[in-house]
Amino acid sequence: MIDLSSKSALVTGGGRGIGKEIAMALAKAGCDVAISDIDLQTAQATASELEGLGRKSLAIKGDVSNAADVEAMFASFIEKFGKIDILVNNAGITRDGLLVRMKEADWDLVLNVNLKSAFLCCREAARPMMKARGGKIINIASVVGLMGNAGQANYSASKAGLIGLTKTLAREFASRSINVNAVAPGFIRTAMTDKLTDAEKGKLTGQIPMQTLGSPLDVANAVLFLSSSLSDYITGQVLTVDGGLVM
Ligand code: NAP
């Protein structure tokens, strides 16, 4: 059984969806968990649920693509928890469209929220983790960062960039016992995939060897493993959680 008691974690975009499930899984394993989200109400609702499990929690409002917000977010986190053991860069958005019609603003927004955010958060987490000579960073990428996806040039590029960032930081931090890994979910049942039509969902499941969409808990379980000492000798890896879609 995974025991994360006495550990503290920050999950970005943890108010709902996959991030919320990750926060719940970490808290169930004994971890104190802060939630940052662009929407304070959803963050507060999740933080109350985490406290209901008997853990310390904190809801932090902030835009992860904004350097000042990220600095303030880490300052409140460290003030409350004193240290950071686990960082999960989960916040992410889509603004889909074929390249020829893609607006520059949609390219910039997706790259900023999905990729620049991870750079900013890793930069803030690095110093306290290095000082502590340990830590776990998990970046939530996507299978489309590995295989591409028509209509998602901005999103696929941001997730491929996140994988490059993961491997580079794994090399930079390895000597300080800080593990940096990515989880690449396939098609998971959340608000993001609820937008698809039944026909689109049917077409997608047809491509998945396991013939079904995944659940947020499937992703959370992978993050839980990468947050624990069970993965101490694993760094710079991309763990796909996709029913066999990419292999
Ligand atoms: P989701 O339900 O839309 O949740 C994303 C969360 O991030 C929301 O709570 C959202 O807040 C927050 N957020 C958005 N922009 C933010 C910002 N600038 N600063 C701080 N928080 C922000 O998405 P999800 O499906 O759970 O996805 C979570 C992660 O998994 C994302 O990185 C996504 O790319 C990745 N992923 C998802 C799938 C899938 O099938 N769902 C597949 C592969 C990868 P609001 O609620 O206020 O907007």
Side-chain angles (χ1 to χ4, degrees):
M1 188 179 141
I2 290 174
D3 180 12
L4 295 179
S5 45
S6 85
K7 303 285 185 195
S8 56
L10 173 62
V11 182
T12 70
R16 65 185 171 101
I18 292 172
K20 179 178 177 183
E21 201 68 39
I22 292 169
M24 296 299 287
L26 295 174
K28 282 179 189 160
C31 192
D32 293 327
V33 187
I35 300 299
S36 87
D37 209 289
I38 199 150
D39 177 42
L40 186 59
Q41 271 185 336
T42 49
Q44 279 170 334
T46 301
S48 307
E49 282 188 53
L50 297 170
E51 279 166 0
L53 294 170
R55 305 289 165 254
K56 264 205 275 179
S57 187
L58 178 66
I60 311 170
K61 180 179 163 58
D63 175 355
V64 282
S65 65
N66 178 294
D69 279 15
V70 170
E71 259 178 59
M73 191 170 100
F74 274 81
S76 359
F77 181 90
I78 295 292
E79 191 184 329
K80 169 114 185 183
F81 296 99
K83 64 185 175 94
I84 178 157
D85 300 295
I86 300 158
L87 166 65
V88 184
N89 287 309
N90 164 80
I93 56 166
T94 52
R95 289 293 182 277
D96 297 349
L98 293 173
L99 184 85
V100 287
R101 284 198 288 268
M102 188 171 284
K103 294 191 175 69
E104 188 181 346
D106 286 339
W107 173 272
D108 289 345
L109 183 66
V110 170
L111 268 289
N112 285 339
V113 174
N114 295 6
L115 180 57
K116 183 184 173 191
S117 62
F119 152 67
L120 293 172
C121 292
C122 290
R123 196 174 58 171
E124 290 300 318
R127 207 162 281 128
M129 283 185 177
M130 280 182 176
K131 218 169 141 197
R133 297 205 162 258
K136 305 277 189 184
I137 298 177
I138 298 109
N139 295 322
I140 306 302
S142 166
V143 289
V144 305
L146 295 167
M147 58 194 264
N149 195 22
Q152 290 197 307
N154 48 4
Y155 184 76
S156 306
S158 73
K159 295 301 187 179
L162 201 49
I163 291 169
L165 179 72
T166 301
K167 292 177 188 229
T168 296
L169 298 189
R171 290 182 187 279
E172 287 191 17
F173 300 160
S175 64
R176 307 294 177 102
S177 304
I178 300 166
N179 305 65
V180 189
N181 290 293
V183 169
F187 298 107
I188 307 296
R189 282 182 298 272
T190 62
M192 210 178 247
T193 46
D194 281 350
K195 289 184 220 156
L196 302 171
T197 63
D198 284 347
E200 285 169 326
K201 280 185 203 157
K203 209 173 144 199
L204 282 179
T205 41
Q207 300 165 31
I208 303 171
M210 294 186 101
Q211 296 281 304
T212 180
L213 297 189
S215 71
L217 185 59
D218 292 322
V219 181
N221 285 335
V223 173
L224 187 59
F225 166 67
L226 291 172
S227 302
S228 78
S229 58
L230 293 179
S231 61
D232 277 354
Y233 198 53
I234 300 174
T235 199
Q237 301 305 305
V238 183
L239 178 51
T240 51
V241 178
D242 63 352
L245 184 63
V246 176
M247 58 170 105

